[in-house]
Amino acid sequence: MANTLPSGIQRPEGSDNNNLAAYNANLDIIDFLSRPYQEKVDTSSWDADAQVYTKVQYLRPEDGSIAISCQLSNKNSSGKYTMDTWTLGMPGGTKIRTWTLTYDAAGNVVNKTYVDS
């Protein structure tokens, strides 16, 4: 299973044997990505100039633990945040995904790219 998708799901190759552990690991990731998380906004993170909350968490419905934590950073000279960092509590461990945001002249996000670390 040399082909791993950005989500962490491993795509088996035609020559791979059926591997129940790898199949179950893939199901765990699919479950993580499709859950109905409860959004929790950190109201102390309100940026009045940008009119946005800079910290948001997504909680697991079964126990209230943090599944995903998002934080805006790197405010540019126009008052727009250019980075959005997600910390994902994935089944296989923590994953950090950092989005770079690009804006048009009207202040709308026109491009988002990410890197995983």
Side-chain angles (χ1 to χ4, degrees), residues 22-34:
Y23 178 77
N24 286 338
N26 283 342
L27 287 177
D28 288 343
I29 292 170
I30 291 167
D31 179 61
F32 174 83
L33 295 172
S34 63

Side-chain angles (χ1 to χ4, degrees), residues 49-106:
D49 294 330
Q51 295 289 297
V52 67
Y53 291 102
T54 61
K55 295 179 185 177
V56 178
Q57 296 175 333
Y58 295 89
L59 309 177
R60 291 180 180 90
E62 67 273 9
D63 63 7
S65 64
I66 299 169
I68 306 167
S69 180
C70 306
Q71 182 164 352
L72 294 172
S73 61
N74 290 1
K75 198 172 181 182
N76 66 18
S77 60
S78 300
K80 301 291 184 184
Y81 289 93
T82 61
M83 295 186 78
D84 187 5
T85 303
W86 296 5
T87 303
L88 304 131
M90 301 282 288
T94 300
K95 180 178 189 175
I96 306 292
R97 177 166 284 179
T98 303
W99 296 86
T100 300
L101 310 174
T102 307
Y103 297 86
D104 64 13

Side-chain angles (χ1 to χ4, degrees), residues 5-49:
L5 303 173
S7 62
I9 293 174
Q10 295 182 350
R11 178 182 293 161
E13 296 178 11
S15 60
D16 287 341
N17 290 327
N18 193 2
N19 180 331
L20 190 56
Y23 178 77
N24 286 338
N26 283 342
L27 287 177
D28 288 343
I29 292 170
I30 291 167
D31 179 61
F32 174 83
L33 295 172
S34 63
R35 307 279 311 275
Y37 297 110
Q38 178 186 356
E39 184 178 75
K40 179 183 175 189
V41 175
D42 180 349
T43 56
S44 68
S45 73
W46 176 250
D47 180 336
D49 294 330

